[in-house]
Amino acid sequence: MRHLAIRFFCGLSLLLIGSTTALSQKKDPPRWVLQKGKSLKYNDRDFLTGFGFAAIDKTTTVEEAAQLAKDMATQTLSQQIIVKFKSETNIHLMETEDAIFEDLQSTSQSISNVEISGLHFDQFADKKTYYFLAYIERPQIILQFQNKLDMANQEIYREYHMGLKYEKENQKEKALEKFTACQLVAGKRNEYKAILVGLGEKISQDEISSNTIADALNRNSPNSVRSAEDLAYAIAYSFKEQSNIPLKNVKVHHLTFEETGVSSPFSNFFTTLLDNKLASLAQWQMIDLRDYNPELRDQYQIDYAVRGSYWLQGDKVKFSLTTKDIQSGQLITVYEVQIDKEILLATAKDLKPVGYDERKRDYQRFQQNEIINSGLMLEVFTSKGEDNPVFEDGDRMKLSFRVNYPCYIRLIYHDAKGNKVLLLDNMYIDETKVNKVYTLPHTFQTSPPFGLETLQVNAQPEKFTGLQTRMYGPYKIITESIDEVLMKTRGMFLDDSGQTQQGSSFKAEKRINVITTPRVN
């Protein structure tokens, strides 16, 4: 059980420095235990908090449960910042052309960890469960990351101007080394800015922007980009130079289009190119998950993840990719570039996801008022994984779940035409299935309409509020709008000022974007 529980946190890591812990000696559970992380003492206005718990049983000792609960508490605190940042970024980009937030677009797709010093903990244990509450004062964490941001800007200023000096002297190799160092620090800088946005702080335009650094790299790079293959080569070359040594157990995820988190025909094609170049040029050991088995997912050893996104900007396309150490969250490599759109059109692969224009509003709605989790962990995966899987006509899809707490599951399938199909409602995962991969006994067959589709899975301890539906053959089609569905499913409500608020935070939501296509003979 311990191994299973730890894997919940592989995609979101947080390093703790100088933390303090206090053990409650009370026989009765404190209020923060009863209210699953809510506390009057550590209120949301003045503190950031995270709640964690772990069962004590035959397979998990008290010490192991304590560590698992502490890890979970730190993760949920971290996730609050990240979810808030992503929501704020998407709102700004939908409403304005804010240059500051445009610079943070790539970070909204790649950020997965927050390194915090000075966390404090309260803990409580009964015979069955160990509980932890992580907390830190808001002014303390804001000052911490403002200092990191200032130091990053100073380092970028020094390295960039040294690179300009070498460039003026026509020492291209030394200039490239300095600008490459700038790009890695700029990646970290954007993460610090993202955290401050997530904490509600305003940020200013950088004196030396990521685009300015990318332009300097292009001027001094020995690798000109005239094709998609050239781009893959340039990325692999840069990653090789930044990592110094070949990396092992590397997974390249599909590049995603803009802020959607969705792949496209081009990104599926390009991911294969990049995977091959990293293996041949950088000598990295790549992971192939084509024969993926979700019930054995904990046996796949993935140490590094390459993720990236791209944006259409007039007649240009901006690319941003990173490599991160999964366990520590350390940023290993960064690559950003703008290239002519015409270069990519030569691949004859669509740059936008299939059906994107028809589904764009739905994806924007998904990304607003995201659930800020407070301890309930949910994993969802298909029989072809969770990284933008492709299913052809007639393929059968298996779905698997894993949760860390008994809860109800709601599964909504948003098809290519915008229909919302209620596939499961209030399916209960009891204690016997907690922390275990549970695969639904039935499968779902792929059929028209084809295109970009989304699996939305929600979990909570209480039953979900009912949705209005009508029958279409064997399926329940939801007749309410997507806004009404999200409000009811996420437990949102409008306060007296008309602002959307989240009710209980002990909820979870996962979405998997699925591409369905006609069968290719």
Side-chain angles (χ1 to χ4, degrees), residues 245-286:
I245 59 172
L247 302 182
K248 295 182 178 181
N249 302 322
V250 183
K251 165 63 176 169
V252 178
H253 293 265
H254 289 98
L255 272 66
T256 56
F257 178 71
E258 297 186 349
E259 72 280 0
T260 64
V262 182
S263 67
S264 68
F266 166 77
S267 62
N268 296 338
F269 162 79
F270 186 75
T271 299
T272 301
L273 274 183
L274 180 58
D275 194 286
N276 292 335
K277 292 297 182 186
L278 288 171
S280 61
L281 177 62
Q283 297 294 300
W284 287 10
Q285 180 182 319
M286 313 307 292

Side-chain angles (χ1 to χ4, degrees), residues 445-462:
Q445 185 170 343
T446 306
S447 61
F450 302 120
L452 179 58
E453 309 190 323
T454 302
L455 278 165
Q456 176 191 350
V457 185
N458 290 78
Q460 63 183 41
E462 308 84 18

